[in-house]
Amino acid sequence: MCGGGWRLNIYSYGSSSTSASTSTSTSTSTTASATATAGPQIWDIWNTRNDQSQLFQRLSLSNPITFTNPGSIGQADIVVDDSQLYQDMDGFGVSLPDSSASMLQNLKNANSNNYWQLLHTLFDPTDGAATAGLSIVRVPLGASDFSANVYSFHDTYDPNLGSFNINAAPSYLWSTLADIVSVNPSIKIMVAPWSPPGWMKDSGTMLGGTFQSTWASTLANYLLKSVQGFQSMGFTVSHLAIQNEPENSNPTYPTCIVNADDGANVAAQLRQLLNSNGFGNLKIMALEHNWDLADSYPIQELNDQYNAFAGASFHCYSGTVDQQMSFYNAFPNKEVHFTECIGTYGSDWWSDIKWDMSNLMIGSPSYMSRSVVMWAVALDGAGNPKLPGTDSCAAPGCRPIATVNYDGTYSLNQEFYSLAQASRAVVPKDSSGPFGQRIGSSINGNLNYELIVSAYKTGRSAAADTDWNRYSLVVLNWNDQTNAGPVTTTIEFRGLQATYSFPIGVTTLWWFAEN
C-alpha cells in the first residue's frame, strides 16, 4: 500500500475524445429490434445506477433483446469485433492482508450467517448468480501496514533459513483463506513480501531500508520456502512478486528499496528453484509498483533476466493507466497485471465508481491487463485495524471492499459494485471452462463520448466446446450532468444489430453466439 489511498483522475468526463441487491426488476429502458432476421438474444443484464436505485441488480426482461438486420444507428453505436482477439483474462479480485482476515474472523464469530453470505457475495463463481465471482486473492508474505505486528517468516539471522516458519502468519489468515477457497476452489492466489526479513537489509529492520544484494540467493530461497509454506497449508500460489513497491521506503511499516538489477537477480535464482521444486507454472511478476515506473524499472528487470518473469504488475498511486502500454510495447509477449488500488472514506460514491470503471475495471484491461485487484477486502468503518504507528492511510481512513462492523453486520462499498460489474463479464460460463478473452470494440454515434466500453468472449469447457460462446459488454455511462440520461445505443455484432438504452451507471450484459 502506497500513496495514502489517493488516486489520480485520468478521464475528463464531458469531453468528446450499502449492501448487495440480489432482487430482480423489470427493465424499463430496453428496446428490442424488430424480428426480421433473428440472431442472438440478450437475456442477461446487470445494472448499477448512479442514483443507487439499482446496485449490481439483475434485470428481469419480459422479452429478450434480439440481434436482427441492421438499421439506423442509435445515439451511440457499439461495434463488437470478435475477430480482434486480445489478452485472456485472469479475472478481478481483492487483497487479504492480516487485518482483513482479522475482521472477517470477527464477523464469523459474531454472525456466521453474515460471514458466509459476504464470502459468497464476493467469491461465488456460479454462472448467473447475484455474486461478484471474484477470482483472485492477493496475500502479503509476512507483515504489511495492515497487520497487528511486524513479522517475517524468519526473523532470526540465519543464512540457511533453518527456522523458517510459515505459521508466523496469524492463524486467522489461513482459516479465512481456506473459507474463501471453499467458496471458489479455482481462485488464484497472488503473493508478495512487503519486506524481506530485516537482517537482509541495511536498516536491520523490516521498517524501511534497502535490500542488500549479498542476500540475493537467500531471498530467493526465502521466497521458495514461502511458496512451499502456502502449499503445506493447502494453497497453490499462482503469481509472485519479488517485492511489493520496490521503490518505497517508509519507516512506519514494512517496506524495502530493491533496485531493478537486484530484483532481476533474485527472480532468476527463484525461477530456477521453482522449476526444480515442482512450481514451474508459478508466474514471477516484475515491478509491482506504480504506473509511472512502467517505462523504466520493469523494462530494466526484463532486460536483465527476460526468462525469469512472466510479466509486470502495476499500482494506481502515481501515473496514469495508459502507461501500462510502455511496458507492453517493450515486451508484447509478456503479461500485464493490475494489482493494487484503494479508495478513501468520505469521497463521493458515484465519482469513485466512474473513476474505478474508466481507469481500472474497463481502463486497465483496455491497456492489456489480465487482472484487476483492489486493496483490501475488509476493514472497519475507520479503515482499521492497521499496524501500530504506521502513517499509511491517514484519517478518514482507507476504504475496503466491505466495511465489517464489530456487531456482526457489514456493508458493501463502491469498489464492490465496480468489481462485480466487471467480474461478471469474464467469469467462466462452465465450471471447468476458460475465463473471458478481451475482443475488439469501438463506439460511434453522436453521444459516443458518453460511453466507455470493454468487450469479451468467453469460451466453453472441453466438454461443452460445441456450445455457443458467451459475448459480454461492460459499459459505463458516466454523464450525470443536467438533462443527461440513458443513451439509446445500437450494438453491432456479425452484421446484425440490437438496441439497448444504457442508463447512467454501469451495465454488464451478455448474449450467446455460435463459435
Side-chain angles (χ1 to χ4, degrees):
M1 168 70 214
C2 173
W6 58 271
R7 300 177 292 189
L8 299 176
N9 188 25
I10 293 169
Y11 286 85
S12 177
Y13 299 104
S15 67
S16 57
S17 114
T18 99
S19 61
S21 174
T22 58
S23 62
T24 59
S25 67
T26 300
S27 171
T28 60
S29 58
T30 60
T31 303
S33 303
T35 57
T37 299
Q41 294 182 323
I42 300 171
W43 281 97
D44 300 282
I45 302 175
W46 306 80
N47 279 147
T48 295
R49 298 206 179 192
N50 70 311
D51 61 4
Q52 303 186 48
S53 60
Q54 293 175 346
L55 295 173
F56 187 49
Q57 189 166 340
R58 189 174 188 175
L59 305 186
S60 177
L61 302 182
S62 56
N63 294 295
I65 303 168
T66 303
F67 284 86
T68 65
N69 292 333
S72 59
I73 69 170
Q75 296 171 306
D77 184 56
I78 299 173
V79 180
V80 178
D81 184 353
D82 62 332
S83 69
Q84 293 182 337
L85 301 176
Y86 299 101
Q87 75 274 25
D88 293 320
M89 296 297 293
D90 284 328
F92 296 78
V94 291
S95 297
L96 184 71
D98 294 344
S99 294
S100 290
S102 172
M103 292 305 299
L104 289 171
Q105 182 65 47
N106 290 341
L107 179 62
K108 187 177 185 179
N109 293 336
N111 190 322
S112 179
N113 288 337
N114 280 357
Y115 170 78
W116 286 107
Q117 181 187 64
L118 176 56
L119 291 195
H120 278 273
T121 298
L122 292 168
F123 300 107
D124 187 346
T126 302
D127 181 56
T131 58
L134 300 179
S135 56
I136 300 170
V137 173
R138 179 170 174 253
V139 184
L141 296 179
S144 71
D145 43 337
F146 286 84
S147 295
N149 57 279
V150 177
Y151 71 91
S152 73
F153 298 135
H154 201 295
D155 287 333
T156 304
Y157 174 86
D158 177 9
N160 296 318
L161 301 175
S163 300
F164 184 94
N165 181 19
I166 197 69
N167 282 309
S171 60
Y172 49 75
L173 174 67
W174 306 118
S175 61
T176 303
L177 188 56
D179 287 343
I180 291 171
V181 172
S182 74
V183 173
N184 187 348
S186 62
I187 204 158
K188 303 173 185 73
I189 298 175
M190 296 180 168
V191 299
W194 264 232
S195 171
W199 50 271
M200 297 185 191
K201 301 162 62 178
D202 62 358
S203 60
T205 172
M206 292 179 67
L207 305 178
T210 300
F211 175 69
Q212 295 180 303
S213 59
T214 54
W215 295 112
S217 61
T218 306
L219 179 56
N221 274 285
Y222 176 86
L223 294 173
L224 170 67
K225 286 180 176 291
S226 298
V227 172
Q228 292 172 325
F230 268 70
Q231 184 182 54
S232 72
M233 304 300 290
F235 308 112
T236 299
V237 174
S238 62
H239 300 72
L240 180 148
I242 301 301
Q243 169 63 38
N244 176 70
E245 299 183 346
E247 293 204 343
N248 176 27
S249 177
N250 184 319
T252 71
Y253 67 96
T255 56
C256 182
I257 297 291
V258 180
N259 68 52
D261 291 336
D262 286 341
N265 184 18
V266 174
Q269 296 188 57
L270 176 60
R271 180 75 272 161
Q272 293 180 358
L273 290 171
L274 292 170
N275 293 348
S276 300
N277 286 274
F279 299 101
N281 292 328
L282 191 154
K283 298 177 179 179
I284 302 176
M285 306 310 298
L287 185 59
E288 193 73 13
H289 209 164
N290 291 329
W291 285 318
D292 63 347
L293 298 172
D295 63 352
S296 55
Y297 192 104
I299 290 176
Q300 183 177 342
E301 285 189 297
L302 270 78
N303 283 336
D304 285 355
Q305 296 290 343
Y306 179 87
N307 293 326
F309 296 98
S313 48
F314 297 94
H315 298 178
C316 75
Y317 307 114
S318 183
T320 55
V321 63
D322 58 300
Q323 291 176 290
Q324 291 177 180
M325 293 304 290
S326 298
F327 174 80
Y328 177 80
N329 289 334
F331 300 104
N333 294 321
K334 296 295 186 177
E335 297 181 1
V336 175
H337 292 266
F338 181 86
T339 52
E340 188 177 307
C341 198
I342 194 167
T344 302
Y345 279 116
S347 58
D348 180 70
W349 188 90
W350 171 233
S351 296
D352 291 335
I353 286 186
K354 286 194 293 186
W355 193 97
D356 286 341
M357 296 307 304
S358 58
N359 292 278
L360 304 182
M361 310 307 166
I362 296 175
S364 191
S366 297
Y367 293 108
M368 303 308 298
S369 179
R370 296 167 59 105
S371 65
V372 176
V373 181
M374 300 295 286
W375 176 275
V377 62
L379 298 169
D380 69 15
N384 292 317
K386 295 188 296 186
L387 183 72
T390 183
D391 65 8
S392 173
C393 284
C398 284
R399 181 179 58 244
I401 308 306
T403 296
V404 173
N405 305 308
Y406 295 96
D407 63 358
T409 61
Y410 72 88
S411 59
L412 298 171
N413 295 317
Q414 42 267 55
E415 286 77 15
F416 167 81
Y417 300 105
S418 299
L419 281 167
Q421 293 279 165
S423 178
R424 265 294 148 203
V426 303
V427 293
K429 165 62 179 170
D430 308 308
S431 59
S432 57
F435 279 76
Q437 179 181 16
R438 190 170 69 88
I439 59 177
S441 64
S442 58
I443 314 175
N444 305 306
N446 293 334
L447 297 184
N448 66 331
Y449 63 92
E450 295 192 13
L451 304 182
I452 300 174
V453 180
S454 57
Y456 301 95
K457 177 191 76 173
T458 302
R460 306 305 296 274
S461 67
D465 64 356
T466 59
D467 291 338
W468 287 9
N469 293 330
R470 184 177 67 207
Y471 293 86
S472 306
L473 292 179
V474 182
V475 180
L476 170 67
N477 177 357
W478 56 264
N479 191 1
D480 57 352
Q481 298 174 11
T482 303
N483 299 323
V487 176
T488 301
T489 304
T490 41
I491 303 169
E492 315 289 341
F493 178 71
R494 296 183 184 175
L496 298 175
Q497 185 183 80
T499 302
Y500 179 72
S501 292
F502 287 97
I504 303 170
V506 186
T507 300
T508 303
L509 58 78
W510 64 63
W511 64 92
F512 291 86
E514 59 187 338
N515 298 344

